[in-house]
Amino acid sequence: MTDVGIDIAACRGRQQRVVEQMVQHDLDLVVVTQVEHIQYLAGPRFRWVFQPVAALSREGRLTLVAPQRLPEVAAADEVLTYEAQWRSTLRNDQRKASTDVLISALASQPQPRRMGVEFSTFGTYLSSHFEATLFDIEPALYSLRRRKDPDELALIRKAIAGTGRMYERAREIIAPGVTELHVFNELQSAAVEEFGEMLTGTGNDYQCGSRGGPPRKGRSAMAGELYILDLGPAFRGYFADNARTIAVAEPTDAQQLAWEFIMRAFEHVQREVRPGKNARALFREVRAILDEAPVGVFDHHLGHGIGLFPHEAPHLNPNWDDTFQEGETFTVEPGLYAPELQAGMRIENDYVVTLDGVECLTDFPLEL
């Protein structure tokens, strides 16, 4: 088991930053129902089968309604429970059950005039208990989540350590004849051994001779192919997302040449990214480098932020216009694809933005 635990002070700091948003938008109360935002503010992670709820007042008081039993640790002023299961059977009306407990807890407080909620998930039953004007707090929460606190970065580093173990095992077993399902099973086991507990998420690509996808039954690797492993295990809710491409046998000259251009892309990223750098501009700069490659095309995003969701800001994508901020964790995944490359290759590193540059979090071998 790992010693990475809930940091009460860090959670309280995040709550205070939400309170600052509440003051800015004249909100009396914020109610969140998404398990990611509840974890972000209170600490405990609840599985997707449960429907907890949390409320934060403008005075900074957090009320948490947890499923079934009290969590061992929570950054909350009041922790209550609702019956999520009856005789071990999960209820299908959990949102009503958790809402009833929350409304009872808030009954002694004045009705809010303006209330922040997550518009994408705030349900009718919950809204029927309030007469307040509703404000979508979700964009502000996503913006606050961009900069990772030290406790969050520790969880991300642990998730990334799991991918390191996975690549070690992959390089031991990938050879002509190995099946995609065998590689998948061995890599999942390696991550579990590193974490000392179950994964809270897994992904992404485990196919050989393909741009990506889940492992295929009966598909064996063949000499000359490239094996793209784009791995995204989550540790206690926080995701890693990085990739390595491994040659099943010796790489061809064309494959090695394409790899060299991808290395040029990483060199540019590590030289150019710092707080204030425009992510859309970075995408265009890297695309220009990869467009010079004599083989292969680059036709997807360059990367994205990671955290409590696999894809967060900043978006290294021309469809967004984000700017890098200190404390963000993000991926860079240049790729080149062509039939003569046996589908192609993609290599992905994870970084954290520092005061004057970036720190690479994925210090694993990059070779094919």
Side-chain angles (χ1 to χ4, degrees):
M1 297 294 287
T2 180
D3 59 357
V4 178
I6 295 173
D7 187 327
I8 296 294
C11 291
R12 289 299 192 184
R14 292 190 279 272
Q15 292 172 25
Q16 183 56 42
R17 292 196 285 274
V18 174
V19 168
E20 292 169 2
Q21 291 289 315
M22 296 172 69
V23 172
Q24 178 180 340
H25 297 290
D26 191 26
L27 304 177
D28 301 311
L29 189 71
V30 163
V31 175
V32 293
T33 59
Q34 295 176 23
V35 292
E36 295 87 358
H37 289 144
I38 292 172
Q39 179 179 358
Y40 180 72
L41 294 174
R45 172 173 174 78
F46 301 108
R47 291 190 295 132
W48 66 271
V49 297
F50 297 121
Q51 296 184 334
V53 61
L56 180 65
S57 73
R58 188 162 172 161
E59 294 72 35
R61 177 179 173 82
L62 186 82
T63 301
L64 171 64
V65 181
Q68 210 68 11
R69 60 178 61 88
L70 294 174
E72 293 182 4
V73 181
D77 301 280
E78 184 176 18
V79 183
L80 304 167
T81 62
Y82 74 95
E83 290 187 309
Q85 297 168 287
W86 287 333
R87 293 183 177 270
S88 300
T89 300
L90 288 163
R91 295 172 61 182
N92 295 325
D93 61 346
Q94 288 185 56
R95 179 54 64 215
K96 179 181 185 300
S98 61
T99 296
D100 289 344
V101 173
L102 177 67
I103 297 304
S104 177
L106 299 178
S108 62
Q109 301 180 23
Q111 273 279 336
R113 299 172 298 106
R114 285 173 53 81
M115 186 168 73
V117 300
E118 304 143 314
F119 271 23
S120 68
T121 54
F122 190 67
T124 303
Y125 185 74
L126 189 50
S127 66
S128 69
H129 290 80
F130 297 96
E131 298 179 358
T133 299
L134 300 183
F135 174 84
D136 188 6
I137 196 66
E138 206 164 352
L141 290 171
Y142 276 111
S143 180
L144 291 174
R145 281 169 49 183
R146 289 179 63 166
R147 297 189 180 192
K148 303 302 187 287
D149 288 324
D151 63 320
E152 297 180 282
L153 186 55
L155 292 165
I156 292 171
R157 287 183 187 274
K158 187 63 177 178
I160 291 171
T163 64
R165 288 283 294 272
M166 295 167 87
Y167 296 125
E168 288 179 9
R169 185 60 180 145
R171 292 185 185 277
E172 291 171 352
I173 64 175
I174 287 179
V178 70
T179 67
E180 292 178 358
L181 280 174
H182 179 68
V183 171
F184 175 82
N185 289 333
E186 288 292 306
L187 269 54
Q188 298 299 297
S189 177
V192 170
E193 287 291 336
E194 173 64 26
F195 293 169
E197 59 192 58
M198 292 176 62
L199 312 183
T200 54
T202 191
N204 302 313
D205 297 317
Y206 295 88
Q207 290 188 6
C208 186
S210 162
R211 288 183 60 147
R216 298 166 289 188
K217 183 178 180 180
R219 178 58 160 85
S220 298
M222 295 182 287
E225 290 186 321
L226 295 176
Y227 213 127
I228 295 178
L229 294 171
D230 193 333
L231 307 180
F235 175 72
R236 299 185 182 179
Y238 280 83
F239 284 85
D241 187 1
N242 48 75
R244 295 293 184 264
T245 297
I246 300 173
V248 177
E250 288 298 315
T252 66
D253 291 343
Q255 290 168 347
Q256 191 62 41
L257 181 59
W259 178 87
E260 291 171 2
F261 274 85
I262 287 177
M263 293 304 103
R264 294 183 193 180
F266 283 125
E267 291 169 3
H268 180 83
V269 168
Q270 295 179 187
R271 184 173 60 249
E272 295 295 324
V273 175
R274 57 182 47 82
K277 174 70 177 180
N278 183 266
R280 178 186 285 174
L282 182 71
F283 170 88
R284 290 170 175 163
E285 292 159 10
V286 170
R287 183 176 61 186
I289 293 170
L290 296 176
D291 283 348
E292 294 179 358
V295 60
V297 295
F298 170 62
D299 56 4
H300 53 68
H301 63 201
L302 180 60
H304 50 82
I306 52 174
L308 285 165
F309 194 70
H311 289 191
E312 300 185 349
H315 302 91
L316 287 65
N317 185 316
N319 291 292
W320 282 265
D321 193 20
D322 293 339
T323 299
F324 288 101
Q325 303 174 16
E326 182 181 359
E328 291 180 324
T329 50
F330 69 98
T331 77
V332 174
E333 49 182 309
L336 286 169
Y337 310 93
E340 53 266 49
L341 296 175
Q342 293 292 316
M345 68 182 66
R346 181 168 60 259
I347 300 175
E348 183 175 17
N349 277 334
D350 299 335
Y351 298 93
V352 59
V353 183
T354 63
L355 178 63
D356 56 1
V358 295
E359 175 192 349
C360 182
L361 302 175
T362 42
D363 188 21
F364 320 135
L366 295 166
E367 292 76 20
L368 296 176

